[in-house]
Amino acid sequence: KGKVPIFLGSSFAFIAPIVKATELFGLPGTLSGLVAVGAVYGIMSLLVRMRGVGFISRLFPPVVVGPVIMLIGLSLAGTGVQMASSNWALALVALTTTILVSMFGKGLLRLIPIFAGIVVGYLTAVVFDDLVITDLVNFEPVKDAAWFALPNFVRPELCWEAIIFMIPVAIAPVIEHIGDVYAINEVTGKDFVKDPGLHRTMLGDGLACVAASFIGGPPVTTYSEVTGAISLTKIADPGVIRIAAIFGILFSVIGKMSALLKTIPEAVLGGIMLLLFGTIAAVGVNSLVKNRVDLGNTRNLVIVSIILILGIGGAEFSVGTFNFGGIGLSAVVGVLLNRILPKSKTE
């Protein structure tokens, strides 16, 4: 209903699954799996409306959600290291800047540590390119790029394997969405869980995922950083969020800006990814700690252990040409173990 000051942006949780699914099923097939992610949001929205918020916490308790979120970050670790290894000096400059700004930055600067890391890393690469190492930054594509250029739109093509591959990955952003809605409640002093309702915000997120996937984009998620900006500025008017979204769209069709972003060295982005992907894994750990999941309890230890080992080990379930593995398989096994394994009387 246009009442909630939440900004949606591309979800990092889907980077590794999208890369892998594109290798297996191609981009159009992968996009059909991403459309299904939006359908998961729709189903969850319906269940929340029918059965209340408690339903999700019973289906995906912290003992399942925590290790699944950890897996999302850990599965990306290789990608981050590979990108950073193309030039470790640049990667460390970007990483160090991001850490320092996030820890010691003041005011608005503290809200954009990733941006600061990229800028400093990029400027370092430009200086190195002139003085020490050549071919770090190539501005020729920027000169050749048109001022106005539409993105490369790609339409999804039905692929059931990609759909089954992607659906379990939606667990993390669904849970993140719930947490962010409660967080924005605290910041604004309003109760968006009741008005317009968590089922509506979740449905809106799902529709946005479907819209993005139908034109070749990744699924979206609620951006916690924007909640931090709202907390700092005390401006919670949803109209401001819409203005920010319009500017985002306008910037995306400026061809020279897109070309400029592509000149950022892979190592600079790799240095940032080391922190981002590690942060995702840490969020999973924090979920276990915050919810006081007792890993001294054999039942909890079994669930967490099996989820992590299946995911990190790359376990796959194959029937004919159909393969099901990775985060998806681990999440499904975790849900099943949580339902099957008996609880103690105290629990």
Side-chain angles (χ1 to χ4, degrees):
K1 290 187 174 182
K3 296 181 178 181
V4 190
I6 282 182
F7 192 94
L8 300 180
S10 54
S11 173
F12 280 89
F14 288 92
I15 291 178
I18 287 175
V19 170
K20 185 63 177 178
T22 303
E23 293 175 2
L24 296 173
F25 316 115
L27 182 56
T30 298
L31 289 172
S32 71
L34 300 181
V35 171
V37 169
V40 171
Y41 271 98
I43 294 170
M44 289 297 180
S45 168
L46 182 61
L47 291 174
V48 169
R49 179 168 184 173
M50 294 173 59
R51 308 199 45 188
V53 181
F55 166 78
I56 291 182
S57 61
R58 290 193 295 271
L59 189 61
F60 303 115
V63 72
V64 173
V65 173
V68 168
I69 296 176
M70 289 169 62
L71 271 184
I72 293 171
L74 295 173
S75 65
L76 293 166
T79 301
V81 171
Q82 184 179 7
M83 293 173 67
S85 63
S86 61
N87 190 310
W88 278 109
L90 284 179
L92 290 175
V93 168
L95 175 61
T96 302
T97 301
T98 305
I99 293 173
L100 291 176
V101 171
S102 63
M103 292 183 66
F104 304 110
K106 302 294 183 181
L108 288 173
L109 181 63
R110 188 170 185 174
L111 294 174
I112 52 172
I114 295 171
F115 181 73
I118 291 176
V119 169
V120 173
Y122 186 58
L123 292 177
T124 302
V126 172
V127 172
F128 271 38
D129 190 73
D130 289 337
L131 301 178
V132 185
I133 306 172
T134 59
D135 298 327
L136 284 177
V137 182
N138 180 15
F139 289 110
E140 288 302 320
V142 181
K143 296 178 182 178
D144 298 336
W147 278 103
F148 177 80
L150 290 173
N152 181 27
F153 295 109
V154 181
R155 289 185 297 178
E157 295 178 3
L158 182 63
C159 176
W160 287 108
E161 290 89 346
I163 290 173
I164 296 174
F165 183 91
M166 280 294 177
I167 282 178
V169 186
I171 293 174
V174 165
I175 299 301
E176 182 184 5
H177 175 92
I178 297 170
D180 282 336
V181 172
Y182 276 103
I184 202 69
N185 284 352
E186 294 294 326
V187 170
T188 61
K190 299 180 180 179
D191 191 350
F192 296 115
V193 173
K194 292 184 178 179
D195 181 24
L198 184 63
H199 62 288
R200 289 183 182 274
T201 63
M202 193 172 289
L203 180 60
D205 210 333
L207 291 174
C209 288
V210 172
S213 303
F214 265 117
I215 59 175
V220 296
T221 187
T222 51
Y223 264 25
S224 303
E225 294 86 347
V226 176
T227 301
I230 292 172
S231 177
L232 180 69
T233 62
K234 309 302 180 185
I235 298 173
D237 184 351
V240 174
I241 302 294
R242 297 185 192 111
I243 293 171
I246 291 171
F247 271 96
I249 294 171
L250 291 176
F251 287 153
S252 72
V253 297
I254 299 175
K256 288 193 180 294
M257 179 168 287
S258 297
L260 180 64
L261 291 176
K262 291 178 182 177
T263 65
I264 300 174
E266 183 180 64
V268 173
L269 297 177
I272 303 297
M273 298 306 173
L274 293 178
L275 180 61
L276 281 181
F277 299 160
T279 299
I280 295 173
V283 168
V285 175
N286 185 58
S287 177
L288 293 175
V289 174
K290 185 177 179 180
N291 291 282
R292 298 182 180 180
V293 175
D294 181 11
L295 293 183
N297 181 306
T298 302
R299 179 183 183 276
N300 293 340
L301 184 62
V302 167
I303 294 173
V304 173
S305 300
I306 296 299
I307 291 175
L308 290 177
I309 292 301
L310 289 179
I312 296 173
E316 288 189 350
F317 174 74
S318 301
V319 178
T321 59
F322 170 72
N323 292 308
F324 183 45
I327 299 170
L329 177 62
S330 302
V332 170
V333 170
V335 170
L336 291 176
L337 286 175
N338 181 63
R339 304 301 295 178
I340 294 171
L341 295 179
K343 296 182 179 181
S344 66
K345 292 182 178 180
T346 302
E347 290 177 298

